Amino acid sequence: MAPAARTAGDSGQRIGSPGADEEITVDVVRRRSVADDVLELTLVRPTADPLPQWTPGAHVDVLLPTGIVRQYSLCGDPGETGSWRIGVLREPAGRGGSAWLHDHAVEGTELVLRGPRNNFPLVDAERYVFVAGGVGITPVLPMVHAAERAGRPWVLWYGGRRRSSMAFLEELGGYGDRVRPRPEDESGQLDLATVLAEQEPGTLYYCCGPSGLIDAMRSRCQGMPSGSLRVERFSAVPQPAVEEPDGGIEVVCRRSGLTVAVPPGTSILDAVRQAGVDVLSSCTEGICGTCETTVLDGVPEHRDSLLTEDEQEAGDTMMICVSRALGDRLVLDL
């Protein structure tokens, strides 16, 4: 699964490989169960050509035959250019993407991907504390391997409902007591007071998992130096209702030479697409970064779950799938 959101003060940049918006055709060459309801897929190009380079924390868009687009973290080795791995949790309450992959992505199945893009990059630090909940282990797994190769001290706290539901425990087993599994049915929920008990200077904290875990980490890390905590979300942060101008807003698409009226209740993304402007998007929830657009004039009313507080304050870019304007006009680089 993936993506995405950084926390306030995070100076890491969203990273896309050259051509990250291009579509890539791959074949499933291996599928295996790595935990209860978690499927690992190994993907290669049918031509055997190398896949684009990526860095720990990156995700890809999977463009399913049903028309659904879903994001999944790359959880293999970034140095392995011949294949990619993704981990897919079956989500019964989801919109059908994970179910399709579980039911239909057998060996030999052709899939179309887009990416990779990294909203959750691993930044160089003196030491790391990784915190993963459930399938949140997928972007963290290559981070652990990278920290180990770099010779940086690290520890991984890994929570789950039960051991059988916790993916990649076997792969992590060689790291000994630096990996600290906490199945809820054995030891209760992750004790964040213990996780954060030793706050050594130069430590970066990376957290991915359910919203409750991320919110609790953010609350407990408020007194840390700016940028100490970096997070990735799988679902958007609920946003309060806002009043919009009765006539909606006006969006000037500078490169296209179009001025588009965006009525209340219609996203900027939908409005500009209806006007003929070609814009890529994936999640339509403000968490993946695909539709991020440069703001040339006007003040965005940010409603995404990806930009940091500093980035939102700067107002240089916005996620047009969910965000609006703090006035009645925006000029965008579209």
Side-chain angles (χ1 to χ4, degrees), residues 12 23 65 73 75 78 80 82 88 113 155 164 171 175 180 185 193 209 230 250 273 314 326 330:
E23 294 183 359
S73 296
C75 56
E80 173 52 61
V88 182
L113 309 181
V155 63
S164 63
E171 184 171 335
Y175 291 126
R180 300 170 185 181
D185 63 345
R230 293 145 194 269
E250 179 181 82
R273 278 181 166 174
L326 285 176
L330 287 171

Side-chain angles (χ1 to χ4, degrees), residues 207-219 229 231-233:
C207 180
C208 184
S211 294
L213 172 63
I214 291 174
D215 292 342
M217 280 290 292
R218 293 192 65 170
S219 177
L229 174 65
V231 306
E232 181 167 70
R233 294 182 182 270

Side-chain angles (χ1 to χ4, degrees), residues 40-41 54 58 72-78 84-88 137-142 145 168 171:
E40 179 196 80
L41 298 177
W54 60 282
Y72 294 99
S73 296
L74 292 170
C75 56
D77 180 359
W84 284 344
R85 287 195 303 167
I86 60 173
V88 182
I137 191 63
T138 51
V140 172
L141 183 64
H145 296 330
F168 305 115
E171 184 171 335

Side-chain angles (χ1 to χ4, degrees), residues 17-325:
S17 296
D21 294 333
E22 296 178 6
E23 294 183 359
I24 303 169
T25 299
V26 296
D27 290 335
V28 177
V29 294
R30 185 188 186 197
R31 64 173 274 153
R32 69 183 182 115
S33 174
V34 289
D36 296 345
D37 293 324
V38 181
L39 176 68
E40 179 196 80
L41 298 177
T42 301
L43 312 168
V44 302
R45 275 182 159 153
T47 59
D49 290 335
L51 288 158
Q53 293 183 337
W54 60 282
T55 53
H59 71 273
V60 292
D61 296 341
V62 180
L63 286 63
L64 296 173
T66 58
I68 293 173
V69 180
R70 288 293 175 268
Q71 294 78 40
Y72 294 99
S73 296
L74 292 170
C75 56
D77 180 359
E80 173 52 61
T81 60
S83 65
W84 284 344
R85 287 195 303 167
I86 60 173
V88 182
L89 170 68
R90 181 188 283 272
E91 298 182 90
R95 291 180 284 179
S98 64
W100 191 96
L101 288 168
H102 273 257
D103 294 341
H104 300 288
V106 297
E107 293 179 5
T109 299
E110 182 179 279
L111 297 174
V112 177
L113 309 181
R114 194 165 57 214
R117 183 176 289 103
N118 199 337
N119 301 328
F120 191 43
L122 183 67
V123 178
D124 190 36
E126 294 181 25
R127 58 187 59 81
Y128 300 96
V129 174
F130 301 110
V131 182
V135 78
I137 191 63
T138 51
V140 172
L141 183 64
M143 292 183 178
V144 166
H145 296 330
E148 179 69 10
R149 284 194 296 268
R152 299 292 192 271
W154 61 269
V155 63
L156 166 63
W157 296 85
Y158 182 10
R161 294 182 179 178
R162 53 192 178 277
R163 284 184 186 273
S164 63
S165 71
M166 299 169 67
F168 305 115
L169 277 180
E170 182 177 351
E171 184 171 335
L172 290 163
Y175 291 126
D177 62 5
R178 285 180 294 171
V179 176
R180 300 170 185 181
R182 293 295 186 269
E184 191 172 337
D185 63 345
E186 297 177 19
S187 53
Q189 293 184 336
L190 274 174
D191 181 359
L192 297 186
T194 300
V195 171
L196 299 171
E198 297 181 8
Q199 297 182 16
E200 298 184 57
T203 300
L204 285 185
Y205 297 81
Y206 279 80
C207 180
C208 184
S211 294
L213 172 63
I214 291 174
D215 292 342
M217 280 290 292
R218 293 192 65 170
S219 177
R220 287 181 173 270
C221 292
Q222 285 182 350
M224 291 184 180
S226 177
S228 296
L229 174 65
R230 293 145 194 269
V231 306
E232 181 167 70
R233 294 182 182 270
F234 293 146
S235 58
V237 178
Q239 298 287 337
V242 295
E243 293 186 9
E244 296 182 323
D246 292 340
I249 62 175
E250 179 181 82
V251 171
V252 177
C253 303
R254 177 68 57 82
R255 280 189 286 118
S256 302
L258 297 173
T259 298
V260 180
V262 184
T266 299
S267 71
I268 294 174
L269 174 67
D270 287 342
V272 298
R273 278 181 166 174
Q274 290 166 13
V277 180
D278 187 20
V279 184
L280 284 177
S281 71
S282 294
C283 71
T284 68
E285 295 180 328
I287 60 174
C288 77
T290 304
C291 71
E292 184 171 7
T293 300
T294 299
V295 179
L296 302 175
D297 193 25
V299 181
E301 194 272 311
H302 295 287
R303 302 184 65 76
D304 66 274
S305 301
L306 176 57
L307 294 174
T308 68
E309 291 178 8
D310 289 344
E311 289 170 330
Q312 291 187 351
E313 181 70 22
D316 297 328
T317 68
M318 65 186 296
M319 306 304 163
I320 62 172
C321 64
V322 292
S323 296
R324 305 290 292 181

